Amino acid sequence: MFLTLPTLLTWARIVAIPLIVGVFYLDVISQAERNLVATVLFVVVALTDWLDGYLARKLNQTSSFGAFLDPVADKFLVCSSLLILLELGRVNAFVALVIVGREIAISALREWMAQIGASRSVAVHMVGKLKTTVQMVAIPFLLFDGSLFGVIPTRLWGTWLILAAVVLTIWSMVYYLRKAIPEIRAKAG
């Protein structure tokens, strides 16, 4: 299951991350052009997240490896984008720390829960999916950093959306921790 179409799309998402980051180091194009190219790349890459899941189900090519790799690709994409936005001064360190820290903490929690045979208690929940969706909308707004269609101030909208993502990030972390603590106590006792 390493080379199915859905898995190849997930791998493509990971491979595209250095391209998105690298665009901002191209001195041969203007900042506005870098913003546009990075935004388009991010949106295309983010859409493959939906497409690979759809194709895996449609083609009956779901696998445990794909289920592992898909969220890893999402985390790489979000974290690398946040780091470049932090470097560009479009998000503050607190926002990046909360989102990246939550990703590390919940990944570690899921690994631990799998080791004690309680991974179902921290299975993906709707609040986690909503958090990811809001992040995936906020980030391109912040990457673009201009006026969309001459009327939408993307930095303003992106800032509000990324702050909403921070709230959802904390909410989802608390949700997963509350689900895990009884299992942890039961195994420790």
Side-chain angles (χ1 to χ4, degrees):
M1 290 308 222
F2 286 100
L3 296 177
T4 64
L5 181 57
T7 306
L8 288 173
L9 285 171
T10 305
W11 279 116
R13 198 157 72 244
I14 293 170
V15 170
I17 293 166
L19 298 175
I20 295 169
V21 173
V23 163
F24 288 102
Y25 295 97
L26 293 176
D27 291 335
V28 295
I29 60 176
S30 71
Q31 184 65 51
E33 291 168 326
R34 284 180 254 172
N35 292 347
L36 178 61
V37 171
T39 302
V40 169
L41 281 171
F42 183 92
V43 169
V44 169
V45 169
L47 288 174
T48 66
D49 182 31
W50 171 82
L51 183 60
D52 65 26
Y54 171 79
L55 289 174
R57 289 183 298 277
K58 183 83 170 165
L59 301 173
N60 197 26
Q61 294 181 342
T62 58
S63 69
S64 56
F65 179 73
F68 156 77
L69 190 62
D70 186 67
V72 170
D74 290 345
K75 287 169 185 20
F76 278 154
L77 180 61
V78 167
C79 292
S80 62
S81 297
L82 282 174
L83 290 175
I84 199 71
L85 289 168
L86 180 63
E87 184 177 322
L88 293 168
R90 298 179 193 173
V91 297
N92 68 41
F94 177 77
V95 167
L97 180 63
V98 167
I99 293 173
V100 172
R102 181 264 186 210
E103 298 303 339
I104 293 167
I106 296 304
S107 293
L109 178 65
R110 285 195 170 122
E111 183 177 334
W112 186 12
M113 298 306 284
Q115 287 179 357
I116 65 171
S119 57
R120 286 190 170 198
S121 64
V122 288
V124 176
H125 184 265
M126 185 52 88
V127 70
K129 290 181 180 186
L130 181 59
K131 174 226 24 127
T132 300
T133 301
V134 174
Q135 287 174 351
M136 294 296 201
V137 174
I139 290 171
F141 274 92
L142 292 166
L143 288 171
F144 188 74
D145 193 38
S147 180
L148 190 61
F149 308 118
V151 293
I152 301 171
T154 63
R155 185 177 294 200
L156 176 66
W157 279 92
T159 299
W160 282 107
L161 286 167
I162 205 71
L163 291 174
V166 166
V167 170
L168 291 167
T169 295
I170 294 167
W171 180 13
S172 69
M173 186 168 72
V174 169
Y175 173 84
Y176 291 125
L177 288 171
R178 289 184 66 189
K179 288 294 210 172
I181 286 171
E183 295 286 347
I184 293 167
R185 285 186 179 147
K187 298 292 182 186

